Amino acid sequence: MSDTKCLIIGSGPAGYTAAIYAGRANLSPTLYEGMQPGGQLTTTTIIENFPGYPEGVDANQMMADLRQQAQRFGADIRPGVITSVDLSATPKRIEIDGEHTVTADSVIIATGAAAKYLGLSDEQKYAGQGVSACATCDGFFYRRKTVAVVGGGDTACEEALYLAGLCEKVYMIVRKPYLRASDIMQKRVFDAPNIEVLFEHETIGLTGEGGVEGANLVYRRGKEDEQMVHIAIKGFFLAIGHTPNSALFKNYLPTDNAGYLLHEPDSQRTVIPGVFVAGDVADPHFRQAVTAAASGCRAAIEAERFLNQ
Ligand code: NDP
């Protein structure tokens, strides 16, 4: 006899949507919220592209609503971080907070992804003292100051625009001669009077006593006109993409080169019967709230079919 028919790991749109569907299917799912209850969306502000919200929706509110909706259908939502798993066992064994083990007939992995860093030792040196991977979490501390955002994708543009509303000036440090972001985000960035995009710049270090006071950059590294550049900043925000939170499962489940968990085509099933994946941990392509939610729905429907077999 297992502790739960369906154990869901993760509390982003994928995990909560899986819990809503599993709950409505009478599976009485248990969901562990993980280190970041509500997932990555809780580090953003307004979501403008989730269908059904013509004026956009506050990200934290949407996650609170999803959580409440899952609870309404009987999901048992618990705080706790998964510290190890045994997916080869029947039932599956999941260790929580290194303290106790829960057994489950089916498992839905929806652990999401985490922000990437450049790998500079200064990022650690100034962690919590000017270095951040979340503008909406930490931007408030940099009101009327000058900051930099690293990256040229949609996330970097979103973070830069958010910070532009708070800060005196925002530099965007972009390693290529162009932005990768969507046209609409690029336009907003170029239209913002206090955002300056530094194309073809790479960060090599941070400076400051007791907190970030500047960044050393290289312009056109390796080219004839390579040049060292120093910018005075108080905050250094990373927005260069994400790494899937898949490390715990690698002994059991295959991943692609970037660490994203693999699943069967047109399905959320993995190579292990009864183990399903959903959301960003298995999605190198779309990484949207709506696609994560859809995959959570699919995983729960497949878990129900598996349990009924
Ligand atoms: P992306 O992978 O799209 O962009 C990452 C950016 O960081 C690129 O400009 C990349 O540069 C740069 N970068 C990566 N590594 C380094 C490094 N070591 N040094 C310097 N720069 C680096 O990630 P995002 O998080 O921006 O977006 C992920 C997905 O989520 C995308 O599909 C995006 O469209 C989507 N998204 C959508 C949003 C929305 O619709 N509102 C909001 C946010 C994200 P390079 O181009 O040179 O590789």
Side-chain angles (χ1 to χ4, degrees), residues 46 48-49 116-118 150-158 173-176 178-182 185 201-203 239-242 284-288:
I46 302 292
E48 291 185 338
N49 50 11
K116 275 189 199 163
Y117 286 78
L118 293 172
V150 187
D154 279 320
T155 305
C157 290
E158 221 171 56
I173 304 170
V174 182
R175 65 181 175 183
K176 292 217 172 108
Y178 55 85
L179 296 177
R180 188 198 285 208
S182 53
M185 294 304 278
H201 283 73
E202 288 177 43
T203 313
I240 59 169
H242 293 83
H285 302 296
F286 303 109
R287 292 176 290 193
Q288 302 298 300

Side-chain angles (χ1 to χ4, degrees), residues 90-301:
T90 303
K92 325 289 175 218
R93 298 175 63 80
I94 312 292
E95 185 193 63
I96 320 295
D97 295 330
E99 285 170 0
H100 63 283
T101 298
V102 172
T103 56
D105 297 324
S106 69
V107 175
I108 297 174
I109 300 169
T111 43
K116 275 189 199 163
Y117 286 78
L118 293 172
L120 301 172
S121 58
D122 284 343
E123 288 169 319
Q124 278 164 9
K125 181 175 167 190
Y126 294 103
Q129 293 182 300
V131 172
S132 167
C134 177
T136 44
C137 314
D138 301 326
F140 186 75
F141 302 117
Y142 301 93
R143 275 169 303 157
R144 294 184 285 280
K145 294 181 178 154
T146 296
V147 299
V149 175
V150 187
D154 279 320
T155 305
C157 290
E158 221 171 56
E159 304 269 271
L161 287 161
Y162 176 77
L163 290 166
L166 291 170
C167 301
E168 184 177 317
K169 175 164 183 161
V170 181
Y171 290 105
M172 278 184 78
I173 304 170
V174 182
R175 65 181 175 183
K176 292 217 172 108
Y178 55 85
L179 296 177
R180 188 198 285 208
S182 53
D183 288 348
I184 184 170
M185 294 304 278
Q186 293 200 26
K187 184 174 183 324
R188 285 183 194 170
V189 161
F190 293 134
D191 286 349
N194 59 342
I195 298 180
E196 181 179 342
V197 185
L198 301 174
F199 286 113
E200 295 185 83
H201 283 73
E202 288 177 43
T203 313
I204 52 169
L206 299 171
T207 59
E209 295 293 325
V212 170
E213 290 172 0
N216 291 325
L217 316 178
V218 190
Y219 172 63
R220 286 172 67 83
R221 194 205 284 258
K223 308 263 167 50
E224 255 177 35
D225 52 351
E226 176 179 307
Q227 212 179 314
M228 303 300 287
V229 176
H230 181 82
I231 52 172
I233 51 167
K234 294 287 187 194
F236 183 76
F237 290 85
L238 283 307
I240 59 169
H242 293 83
T243 308
N245 296 324
S246 59
L248 275 178
F249 313 104
K250 280 184 179 165
N251 288 342
Y252 300 94
L253 300 174
T255 66
D256 70 4
N257 289 339
Y260 289 92
L261 294 176
L262 297 178
H263 53 88
E264 289 179 17
D266 295 325
S267 165
Q268 304 307 125
R269 282 192 299 264
T270 66
V271 293
I272 300 181
V275 178
F276 306 88
V277 290
D280 285 13
V281 72
D283 177 8
H285 302 296
F286 303 109
R287 292 176 290 193
Q288 302 298 300
V290 67
T291 51
S295 66
C297 154
R298 289 156 55 111
I301 290 174

Side-chain angles (χ1 to χ4, degrees), residues 25-81:
N26 273 339
L27 299 185
S28 308
T30 303
L31 181 149
Y32 281 94
E33 292 183 304
M35 263 187 271
Q36 191 173 34
Q40 290 176 84
L41 281 181
T42 57
T43 66
T44 190
T45 43
I46 302 292
I47 303 173
E48 291 185 338
N49 50 11
F50 201 90
Y53 299 98
E55 303 303 323
V57 56
D58 179 88
N60 281 288
Q61 186 59 52
M62 188 172 97
M63 296 321 296
D65 289 345
L66 283 172
R67 188 178 195 278
Q68 205 182 335
Q69 197 174 352
Q71 281 176 320
R72 182 179 151 214
F73 297 114
D76 177 3
I77 297 176
R78 302 178 183 178
V81 175

